[in-house]
Amino acid sequence: MARILGGVGASHVPAVGAAIDYGKQDEPYWQPYFAGLPAARQWMADSRPDVCIVAYNDHASAFSLEIIPTFALGVAPRFEPADEAFGPRRVPSLVGHPELAWHLAESLIHDEFDLTIVNEMPVDHGCTVPMSVMFGQPDEWPTRIIPLCVNVIQYPPPTGHRCFELGRAIRRAVESYDEDMTVVVFGTGGMSHQLQGQRAGLINADFDVTFLDDLTGDLQRLVELPHGTYLREAGSEGIELVMWLIMRGALGDEAKEVYRHHHVPTSNTSNGLIILEPA
Ligand code: DHB
Ligand code: FE
C-alpha cells in the first residue's frame, strides 16, 4: 500500500528561484531566508519519498484564458520547465509517475472530483520553485513528481473547502494504491501578497502566521475561510493559499508540525515554508 509521509507548504516566489539559479543565496538580502532551508531539505533527504504530488498553480504559462481547468492532473512521464519569457529555468525536467497518476485520476473522479487529465503541461515557477526550495540543485530531482495544477488565476477559483476535500480524497486514493511506496504532498503558493492594483505590495504577516498556526490548530476556521477574507486580508494573490489546504487535507484528521520557516519579505510576498506529518 502507498502511504503519505508528510506535507510541505511552500511559497513559490520566482525571485527565490532566480536567487538559487544565479547563486545569490549568501547575499545579505537573501541570507536570512536561505538560512531556513537546510533543516527542511534534511527532512526531505531523510524522508526520501518515492513520489511527490505537487498542488501548484500555473501563471498563464501552460494554460491561457482559452482553457481554464479548475483542477488539472498531470499523468505524463515527463514535464518540462516552462519558458516564462526569459527562457526555461535550467532545472531538471520533472519525471512523472503515470501509473500512480492514472490511479489518482480514476479514484478521484469516481470520488466525484471532476479533474481534467493532462498529458502535456509545461510547469512554471509555481511548481519548479518549491522543488528548488526543498531539493536544491540536483542533476535530476530525487523523486517522481505528479503535478496537480489548480486555477487561482482567473475568477472563480475553487473554495478552500473544496481544496481541503480534494486533499482528503487524495489521501484515500493514495492509500488504495496497491504498491508499497511513500508519498509527500505539496501545497504551494502564497502567502499574503498582491501584485496588482492600488494595494500592490500588500503583505499581512499576522494573517500568515495565524494561517500557519491553524494548519495544526483551528483547522475548521481555515477550511471555511471565504474568498473575500483572503482577498481583504492576504491580497489578491493570497488566494494561492487555498492550495495549502489540499496538502493539509491529504494528511488526515490530525497532523503535527515538524518544521516552520517564515521570512518577510522575499520579493513581494511573505514567504512561508512548513512541514507537517500525519499525527
Ligand atoms: C511573486 C509571487 C508570486 O506568487 C508570483 O507568482 C509572482 C511573483 C513575487 O513575490 O514577486
Ligand atoms: Fe504565484
Side-chain angles (χ1 to χ4, degrees):
M1 194 181 90
R3 71 193 166 90
I4 293 176
L5 292 178
V8 175
S11 295
H12 66 210
V13 181
V16 165
I20 294 171
D21 297 347
Y22 296 102
K24 295 178 186 293
Q25 293 102 309
D26 294 329
E27 292 185 1
Y29 178 82
W30 288 110
Q31 202 280 332
Y33 167 70
F34 282 102
L37 300 199
R41 289 176 177 169
Q42 190 60 51
W43 178 89
M44 193 54 102
D46 294 342
S47 301
R48 295 164 42 99
D50 296 306
V51 180
C52 290
I53 300 171
V54 182
Y56 79 104
N57 73 283
D58 179 63
H59 302 73
S61 305
F63 303 111
S64 67
L65 291 180
E66 286 149 15
I67 301 180
I68 307 165
T70 300
F71 297 114
L73 183 71
V75 297
R78 287 181 91 80
F79 303 90
E80 302 301 333
D83 185 346
E84 300 183 58
F86 301 100
R89 284 186 70 207
R90 276 188 240 106
V91 293
S93 306
L94 277 52
V95 177
H97 196 298
E99 297 81 8
L100 178 60
W102 276 104
H103 171 79
L104 288 172
E106 181 182 29
S107 177
L108 292 169
I109 290 170
H110 288 171
D111 218 349
E112 303 186 342
F113 288 86
D114 308 315
L115 302 188
T116 302
I117 297 169
V118 188
N119 277 301
E120 198 176 323
M121 184 165 69
V123 287
D124 73 9
H125 68 271
C127 186
T128 64
V129 168
M131 294 300 99
S132 302
V133 166
M134 290 306 288
F135 296 110
Q137 294 177 288
D139 292 334
E140 298 294 339
W141 301 121
T143 174
R144 307 282 203 97
I145 300 164
I146 298 178
L148 170 62
C149 182
V150 181
N151 168 46
V152 291
I153 290 295
Q154 171 60 49
Y155 186 85
T159 62
H161 179 258
R162 189 64 175 157
C163 290
F164 181 71
E165 290 298 328
L166 176 59
R168 295 180 68 204
I170 288 171
R171 183 175 186 79
R172 293 192 286 275
V174 167
E175 291 186 340
S176 67
Y177 189 63
D178 197 15
E179 191 181 315
D180 278 340
M181 64 166 64
T182 54
V183 176
V184 166
V185 179
F186 280 62
T188 69
M191 303 189 84
S192 61
H193 62 305
Q194 172 145 345
L195 303 175
Q196 53 189 318
Q198 283 186 350
R199 297 202 306 163
L202 176 143
I203 287 179
N204 183 349
D206 289 341
F207 175 91
D208 294 329
V209 169
T210 311
F211 190 96
L212 293 168
D213 290 345
D214 280 347
L215 288 167
T216 55
D218 191 350
L219 182 59
Q220 203 53 34
R221 184 192 74 86
L222 285 193
V223 170
E224 289 168 7
L225 269 190
H227 283 152
T229 304
Y230 285 101
L231 193 65
R232 193 174 59 248
E233 301 291 330
S236 52
E237 277 65 47
I239 193 65
E240 290 180 344
L241 279 168
V242 293
M243 295 179 287
W244 292 43
L245 296 177
I246 298 177
M247 173 275 285
R248 178 61 190 84
L251 300 179
D253 291 343
E254 300 292 328
K256 64 174 190 284
E257 179 176 330
V258 296
Y259 186 67
R260 177 195 298 205
H261 179 50
H262 180 224
H263 178 71
V264 186
T266 59
S267 189
N268 298 295
T269 184
S270 158
N271 197 316
L273 177 61
I274 199 164
I275 301 175
L276 306 175
E277 289 178 0

